[in-house]
Amino acid sequence: SLFTQVFGLSSVAQVVLGKGNSGQYLSINMAFGIGVTLGIYAAGGVSGAHLNAAITITQCILGNISWTTVVAYIIGQFLGSFMAAATVFALYYDAIYDYTQGNLTVSGPTATAMIFSTYPAPNVSLQGAFFTEFMATVMLILGVLVIHDEKNNAAIKGAQPMLTGMLVLGIGLGMGLNTGYAINPSRDLPPRIFTAMAGWGTAVFTADHSWWWIPVAAPILGCLFGVFLYKLCIDFHNYSGHETEQEKEQADVETS
């Protein structure tokens, strides 16, 4: 999480504080993709690269990991993400104070809270924002499952982190306008807690009709729905396909 977030958040800081002269929206998409790739390479051997609380919780509900493991992973994710927010704040401390004249705000012409966490676009309703985060996370988990499913046409092991990074890049390229594609409670909530402590105050939780809970709840529900969709449309057919192949082989053996 630390890896992913330092790359991602610092790219947002550079675009915002550089007033568009030091990168555009695309550079944020690319930085998050690179961060995810490196994060998976870094943590793949340790935890199977659990960087997203929504995916961790989903894995637990599916019975793949225990609740105690979930708690440990999520604490790790949150600490990493919180530390990353603190790192980026320290890195851009001077630039933030120069840009805001020391007035740290969530909204207004020199708003800087969105460097650290997501906030919805002004023209998006809460329902629209919820649906955006939900659908973006459905696409995320479908992509992750497609890349990693050994029973299907999985990518080779060494390429999986890079492809997952490209998946996150793709989501950012197409689904970032409404909500800034949090798609991960661990990406959004710890930096928000950091900003509340670092001078932005409770406005980070009350802004936009208390928007903060949507990047926490919508990705978890999106993940669960995505897994259900994958099992229904792909996994279920894979099982039956393999079984018939095995039965056929068995029959061939018996015949011969």
Side-chain angles (χ1 to χ4, degrees):
S1 280
L2 180 74
F3 238 148
T4 306
Q5 291 286 82
V6 168
F7 275 95
L9 300 183
S10 61
S11 70
V12 186
Q14 185 160 303
V15 171
V16 172
L17 302 172
K19 299 175 184 165
N21 298 322
S22 311
Q24 283 81 30
Y25 181 67
L26 178 62
S27 56
I28 297 171
N29 301 150
M30 291 173 73
F32 269 108
I34 292 164
V36 166
T37 299
L38 291 172
I40 297 171
Y41 274 123
V46 183
S47 68
H50 277 258
L51 306 175
N52 186 333
I55 294 178
T56 304
I57 290 166
T58 304
Q59 290 282 19
C60 178
I61 290 168
L62 289 172
N64 296 339
I65 53 176
S66 68
W67 275 112
T68 46
T69 311
V70 168
V71 173
Y73 283 173
I74 291 179
I75 289 171
Q77 291 163 12
F78 271 48
L79 283 174
S81 189
F82 188 89
M83 289 298 297
T87 304
V88 171
F89 182 67
L91 188 71
Y92 280 115
Y93 183 82
D94 296 334
I96 288 170
Y97 270 86
D98 179 60
Y99 181 81
T100 60
Q101 302 300 305
N103 183 23
L104 305 178
T105 57
V106 174
S107 55
T110 57
T112 41
M114 75 287 195
I115 290 173
F116 299 93
S117 294
T118 63
Y119 292 87
N123 59 348
V124 180
S125 67
L126 270 187
Q127 296 92 320
F130 191 96
F131 184 66
T132 302
E133 283 294 324
F134 178 84
M135 273 317 299
T137 316
V138 168
M139 298 318 294
L140 173 72
I141 191 69
L142 284 175
V144 166
L145 290 167
V146 166
I147 292 165
H148 292 84
D149 188 354
E150 297 296 340
K151 294 190 300 296
N152 197 358
N153 195 13
I156 54 169
K157 213 158 183 53
Q160 287 172 354
M162 205 172 294
L163 289 167
T164 309
M166 285 175 67
L167 167 66
V168 172
L169 168 63
I171 290 170
L173 291 176
M175 297 179 224
L177 178 67
N178 290 347
T179 59
Y181 71 113
I183 57 175
N184 179 358
S186 313
R187 173 259 176 275
D188 199 75
L189 189 55
R192 199 179 295 277
I193 295 166
F194 173 79
T195 48
M197 292 161 63
W200 282 265
T202 53
V204 297
F205 288 103
T206 55
D208 299 302
H209 309 292
S210 300
W211 145 264
W212 71 271
W213 65 272
I214 289 180
V216 176
I220 294 170
L221 294 172
C223 245
L224 288 166
F225 183 72
V227 168
F228 169 71
L229 213 57
Y230 188 83
K231 287 202 174 297
L232 193 67
C233 300
I234 297 175
D235 204 30
F236 173 67
H237 304 286
N238 258 352
Y239 274 122
S240 54
H242 280 255
E243 277 158 14
T244 48
E245 267 177 43
Q246 281 162 358
E247 282 162 16
K248 198 161 137 258
E249 279 170 21
Q250 195 66 37
D252 289 346
V253 170
E254 281 166 12
T255 313
S256 57

